[in-house]
Amino acid sequence: MGAREVVLRLEGITKRFGKLTANDDVGFALHRGEVLALLGENGAGKTTLMNILFGHYTADAGTVEVFGQALPPGAPGAALAAGVGMVHQHFTLAGNMTVLENILLGTRPLLAPGLGRAAARARVEQLSRDFGLAVHPDAKVKTLSVGERQRVEILKALYRDARILILDEPTAVLTPQESDALFETLKKAVAQGLSIIFISHKLHEVTAVSDRVIVLRHGRVVGEVATDQTDRHRIAEMMVGAEVALPHPALGTPGAALMELRDVSTPPEGNRTGLRRVTLSLKAGQITGLAGVSGNGQGALADLVSGLIAPDSGELRVAGQTVAGWSPRAALAAGVGRIPEDRHATGSIADFTLTENAVLEGYARPPFSRAGWMDWTRARAHAEGIIEKYDVRCPGPEARIRLLSGGNMQKLILGRALEAGPKIILANQPVRGLDIGALTYVQECLIAARDAGAAVLLISEDLDEIRALSDVIHVMSEGRLSPEFPRGSKTPAELGQWMAGQGFSDAA
Amino acid sequence: MRLEPVAAPGLARTLGLPALAIAATVVVASALAMLAGANPFATLGLIVKGAAGSKFAALETLNRATPLIFTGLAVAVAFRAKLWNIGAEAQLYAGALMTVLIGTQMGLPGPVAIPAMAIAAVLAGALVLLGPVLLKVRLGVDEVVTTLLFNFIMLLFISMLLEGPLKDPMGMGWPKSEAIPRDARLPRIVDGLRLHWGFGLALISAVVVWVIQVKTTLGYEIRAVGQNPQAARFASIPVGRVMVKTALLSGGLAALAGFSEVAGLKGNLTLDLSPGFGYTGIVVAMLALLHPLGVVVSALFVAGIFVGADSMSRAAEVPTYIADISVATALLFMVLAILLTRFRVVRG
């Protein structure tokens, strides 16, 4: 491998944001015809590194070389011109234009109508055959599935003669089957001499697709290893700096159904999928896991359980009673503890103190307020209790919550929910982006709450997490809910088929 | 050049930068005075002397600050909830109108008339802002547009009344209302001096608003809604209802400016009752960083510049526009100072 041509070289890249060092002396080389996996937890510095490569940020120190030529710092477009193509996590496509138009967009002057269109189409068709990227050039992008849109993004890069392809978390939005198709494409690309950087934090994909792995942690390169000379455990250790093990809790003992949905439908909101006749029963002493590719109705279900939306049709029952006037306040009164998906935007108020955030859900009632007056002494004592019990690392209860790391913020939100003594707990992506210590702690708290008799709904895109923690599993696809599967009764591949929409009786 | 957030700005930063902004304002104002052919130091001295150099001058500044405290508070309360009330001018005139109606038409004895006028004014101001805020909460109509346009509607409406049913028959044809009787006027704080109890009411209002913001559930709700409506809604705060309550409070405060000007100073309603107090209230609130007690300080500052510049222009023959420019410059520098308190400029 060492003999092969180096196509991209990063040397000594350092980037600081205030006190935070996002990249610390990062350097590596990418060779022709290789798939290099860039691995790291959220916040490890992967995205910053790519932004430097593409000139969106200027590094404080270090150089970037593409095919032996140094890239000018801070010049977006230089990397593109040098043959580096990037497929972002969030696609940059115009939905009301066709696939071909999207690919051509920006490659030619606006006032050259139609010229060379036939040639361009032939080239796109050729590329999609060569690389196994089946997609119709005249289809409007908005009618395409997520997997197809990603193919358009890759075609776009290839059409611009990219020789180096960077994929940022490409499988985050794909079903396991779509991911496999993507890996086939990558193999074909490599066979044609392209070089690929594959950014991910999913270990099994990295071992499946890459030739070499580089692990980033806290902005530094902490490991570099050939994929065939290592295994997932070793890589995981490098990523987190310690042996990682998912918990293996014993099965819970299910009790009465505390919350039931019967044939519940909700309308789609904007481009968000609604619920389609969902029937679900959350039982005391049980963790119900909800698997699925994000954007398939999990958001609507979470909003329904938290009280933000009410059923459009169908019935929502809490403790055996049909609810009327469902709202966040009604949900809290009914004993629903909520851990929202986005702890920054929904779960907390950045410029409020820990004390103010700790009473966000309970501020309107005693002991935190009486007759319209806040009792800040009680509120501060409550916050101090959570900080102590849930080990929230912070300067104190009067510090603004924006100063906290994601893990500590999540612990405060978790403590806020659990200290209210919830009977039903909604945990929506509770450990996303957390470091290993906080992650394990949050999972243990959820298991403890289950053992104490709470009904837990765990929503996660991480199939491994769902399979390890849940007593029963449902899969969501396009707003529909699969039947209940006991833990261990389905393989990941079988769950993947449900995620792709196979097996539902009312096929779309 | 980029901006990077400062995690915990120190005391030097939070106090030094605003002080620097004031200093920069003085420099700009002096430069303008020089352009107008006057000695900048003398001009500056005349402004300070005109604003606070004598008992008369100082009282005049306090008088001028009174409506600005009310409108500044109205804006600060609303902006805190990110409710962009640009219509304090309309709410002020609504308050003034109710004051004149109650004061001239009902024939109430003084001790009853004064609270009745104040309450009616508050209700009218609140009502004026209720429409735009309901449109915002229910239909998503931009309140910047509706409250701004309401200012013109209200002025034309008042103009119609002053030319018609409310026109003072003894007014020599001028568009002005009858004056409210002497015993229904706000008493002077000190006998023989022009300062009336409207100023006292303004100070009390500032303290009350401050207490509401930091001690009550409503204040907590207002701040939460303003900072992050999505998180507030998730946390069971009724966002729409909080917006409506904020609007009632804000409109009521602005209306008190009209009440205080009519019942304390002018006695009757004219179309030039407010030389833009509603709009200047926005400047006052922004200079005070929306802090209710800060509003008192910034209202005194702005009023001082206006009163001082008036007197200076008579003495030094420099146009009074210098006051408007100084206030605008102060605001721009202050906004910059606030930005630089929370962010530092980094190259690259």
Side-chain angles (χ1 to χ4, degrees):
Chain A
M1 192 191 301
R4 282 195 286 178
E5 181 196 350
V6 169
V7 295
L8 172 72
R9 187 190 296 281
L10 298 172
E11 247 172 315
I13 302 281
T14 300
K15 177 71 186 171
R16 290 184 200 87
F17 294 103
K19 273 189 233 162
L20 177 82
T21 304
N23 288 145
D24 187 2
D25 194 20
V26 173
F28 61 81
L30 175 69
H31 302 96
R32 177 184 288 278
E34 131 179 277
V35 179
L36 174 67
L38 193 59
L39 200 63
E41 304 239 83
N42 281 349
K46 297 169 295 190
T47 308
T48 306
L49 196 59
M50 291 306 120
N51 276 325
I52 290 169
L53 174 56
F54 275 91
H56 299 309
Y57 293 158
T58 312
D60 296 327
T63 54
V64 180
E65 266 180 30
V66 180
F67 297 109
Q69 300 287 312
L71 281 189
L80 281 176
V84 186
M86 176 132 187
V87 177
H88 290 276
Q89 215 171 334
H90 303 285
F91 303 144
T92 51
L93 297 173
N96 56 351
M97 294 170 79
T98 67
V99 169
L100 187 63
E101 285 165 342
N102 265 287
I103 291 170
L104 296 185
L105 201 62
T107 62
R108 55 174 63 209
L110 275 173
L111 297 175
L115 279 178
R117 212 181 164 95
R121 165 195 295 273
R123 178 126 185 268
V124 167
E125 282 171 351
Q126 182 68 39
L127 285 170
S128 62
R129 267 197 304 280
D130 289 352
F131 292 93
L133 293 160
V135 53
H136 197 288
D138 293 324
K140 285 255 198 305
V141 162
K142 67 181 168 201
T143 66
L144 302 182
S145 73
V146 174
E148 287 172 317
R149 286 178 200 206
Q150 188 174 63
R151 283 178 226 152
V152 178
E153 285 279 8
I154 297 174
L155 276 173
K156 214 164 97 180
L158 294 174
Y159 185 85
R160 290 162 196 222
D161 295 318
R163 305 305 299 159
I164 299 168
L165 205 53
I166 299 172
L167 299 133
D168 188 7
E169 307 247 356
T171 57
V173 290
L174 302 183
T175 63
Q177 283 78 2
E178 284 175 325
S179 298
D180 288 341
L182 171 68
F183 298 158
E184 284 307 311
T185 297
L186 296 187
K187 284 186 184 134
K188 289 190 177 120
V190 168
Q192 304 218 5
L194 268 76
S195 314
I196 292 167
I197 295 181
F198 184 94
I199 301 173
S200 181
H201 57 240
K202 294 184 184 167
L203 296 176
H204 60 95
E205 294 172 3
V206 165
T207 49
V209 75
S210 72
D211 301 311
R212 201 154 54 96
V213 179
I214 287 192
V215 180
L216 282 181
R217 189 166 82 227
H218 301 316
R220 292 164 164 274
V221 174
V222 293
E224 180 177 349
V225 64
T227 311
D228 54 13
Q229 285 164 23
T230 187
D231 57 46
R232 286 188 209 177
H233 278 285
R234 290 260 316 282
I235 302 174
E237 269 182 57
M238 278 196 272
M239 268 173 80
V240 300
E243 181 78 42
V244 59
L246 279 165
H248 294 284
L251 281 174
T253 34
L258 297 182
M259 181 183 269
E260 291 162 284
L261 280 69
R262 291 187 188 166
D263 270 340
V264 169
S265 297
T266 64
E269 267 178 53
N271 52 9
R272 196 180 78 165
T273 315
L275 298 180
R276 288 163 58 189
R277 303 184 60 119
V278 166
T279 296
L280 172 69
S281 169
L282 302 177
K283 298 193 184 73
Q286 196 174 58
I287 295 181
T288 305
L290 191 67
V293 177
S294 72
N296 271 285
Q298 296 98 320
L301 184 61
D303 280 0
L304 182 76
V305 175
S306 3
L308 289 169
I309 57 173
D312 202 39
S313 68
E315 198 186 0
L316 173 66
R317 294 166 75 89
V318 176
Q321 302 286 314
T322 304
V323 298
W326 193 233
S327 67
R329 192 156 285 184
L332 288 168
V336 181
R338 295 108 36 94
I339 300 165
E341 178 178 10
D342 190 333
R343 51 186 161 267
H344 301 278
T346 320
S348 64
I349 296 180
D351 275 324
F352 268 22
T353 64
L354 272 82
T355 299
E356 287 170 326
N357 272 294
V359 297
L360 256 183
E361 292 182 332
Y363 78 95
R365 295 181 306 275
F368 305 128
S369 72
R370 276 173 219 283
W373 293 84
M374 296 296 295
D375 186 338
W376 287 118
T377 316
R378 297 280 180 88
R380 192 172 304 113
H382 180 64
E384 278 164 355
I386 292 175
I387 291 168
E388 171 85 26
K389 185 166 167 189
Y390 294 85
D391 188 28
V392 183
R393 311 272 168 81
C394 65
E398 296 308 309
R400 285 170 192 229
I401 203 165
R402 68 157 71 247
L403 299 173
L404 269 57
S405 72
N408 284 309
M409 205 181 274
Q410 190 72 330
K411 283 190 215 165
L412 185 87
I413 292 168
L414 180 79
R416 179 174 79 197
L418 294 184
E419 287 303 290
K423 300 192 201 69
I424 302 154
I425 296 169
L426 165 75
N428 193 356
Q429 311 274 9
V431 301
R432 181 153 70 186
L434 299 192
D435 63 55
I436 191 75
L439 176 149
T440 311
Y441 182 75
V442 170
Q443 289 177 337
E444 280 168 359
C445 282
L446 291 177
I447 294 164
R450 175 201 73 176
D451 291 342
V456 180
L457 175 62
L458 172 67
I459 302 178
S460 176
E461 281 162 46
D462 184 341
L463 209 48
D464 294 338
E465 183 192 0
I466 291 280
R467 280 164 42 81
L469 290 178
S470 313
D471 298 306
V472 293
I473 297 172
H474 289 274
V475 181
M476 278 206 107
S477 175
E478 293 172 23
R480 299 162 303 183
L481 194 72
S482 77
E484 185 177 284
F485 308 125
R487 184 199 290 177
S489 68
K490 292 274 184 237
T491 63
E494 285 169 329
L495 292 173
Q497 285 176 350
W498 281 94
M499 283 156 77
Q502 293 164 26
F504 289 90
S505 50
D506 61 326
Chain B
M1 297 259 282
R2 271 181 319 105
L3 292 175
E4 238 171 45
V6 178
L11 198 65
R13 227 182 161 81
T14 44
L15 292 182
L17 283 166
L20 215 61
I22 301 282
T25 307
V26 170
V27 170
V28 171
S30 306
L32 288 170
M34 251 160 84
L35 269 178
N39 177 343
F41 296 104
T43 310
L44 202 62
L46 284 171
I47 291 181
V48 173
K49 198 171 152 218
S54 66
K55 196 155 144 197
F56 176 81
L59 289 175
E60 197 50 36
T61 298
L62 296 185
N63 253 340
R64 185 73 75 96
T66 302
L68 292 180
I69 295 174
F70 284 121
T71 55
L73 287 173
V75 171
V77 162
F79 280 21
R80 191 58 93 180
K82 298 233 160 71
L83 175 70
W84 309 116
N85 175 17
I86 315 294
E89 191 79 0
Q91 295 136 30
L92 180 152
Y93 273 106
L97 176 62
M98 289 313 288
T99 304
V100 163
L101 281 178
I102 302 276
T104 59
Q105 310 293 319
M106 308 276 288
L108 296 171
V112 184
I114 290 175
M117 290 187 303
I119 291 167
V122 167
L123 291 178
L127 207 64
V128 166
L129 191 49
L130 187 63
V133 81
L134 284 179
L135 284 173
K136 174 194 170 77
V137 171
R138 295 282 157 96
L139 300 173
V141 179
D142 189 342
E143 77 277 19
V144 173
V145 176
T146 49
T147 55
L148 178 65
L149 292 183
F150 226 106
N151 291 337
F152 304 104
I153 296 173
M154 182 59 80
L155 263 180
L156 291 169
F157 178 64
I158 299 277
S159 169
M160 181 198 82
L161 291 178
L162 292 183
E163 294 288 358
L166 282 186
K167 191 166 185 173
D168 181 4
M170 312 295 284
M172 325 276 281
W174 291 101
K176 62 175 190 173
S177 76
E178 281 180 67
I180 57 178
R182 281 280 154 210
D183 70 335
R185 305 270 179 99
L186 285 172
R188 302 276 161 98
I189 292 178
V190 180
D191 262 344
L193 295 175
R194 228 164 81 95
L195 187 65
H196 57 87
W197 268 105
F199 181 70
L201 185 62
L203 292 185
I204 294 168
S205 300
V207 173
V208 168
V209 168
W210 179 67
V211 169
I212 288 176
Q213 282 194 347
V214 297
K215 297 282 184 197
T216 68
T217 50
L218 177 62
Y220 177 75
E221 289 174 329
I222 289 175
R223 288 185 293 128
V225 167
Q227 299 254 4
N228 184 343
Q230 188 186 336
R233 194 167 105 79
F234 178 82
S236 83
I237 293 173
V239 175
R241 231 180 301 161
V242 171
M243 281 282 182
V244 170
K245 288 182 194 170
T246 308
L248 297 179
L249 189 58
S250 171
L253 283 163
L256 280 178
F259 158 75
S260 145
E261 284 297 281
V262 170
L265 212 56
K266 305 279 172 63
N268 60 7
L269 177 57
T270 57
L271 272 179
D272 58 2
L273 177 75
S274 158
F277 289 136
Y279 301 103
T280 312
I282 298 170
V283 178
V284 168
M286 299 295 282
L287 279 175
L289 310 183
L290 308 186
H291 192 292
L293 301 182
V295 162
V296 174
V297 178
S298 77
L300 288 171
F301 172 73
V302 171
I305 290 188
F306 278 121
V307 172
D310 266 348
S311 123
M312 175 276 297
S313 78
R314 282 192 296 273
E317 292 182 357
V318 171
T320 48
Y321 295 121
I322 203 166
D324 292 300
I325 296 174
S326 301
V327 169
T329 318
L331 181 67
L332 288 177
F333 279 126
M334 196 57 86
V335 167
L336 195 64
I338 294 159
L339 182 79
L340 291 177
T341 311
R342 296 192 54 181
F343 297 91
R344 71 165 62 90
V345 180
V346 188
R347 292 176 67 83

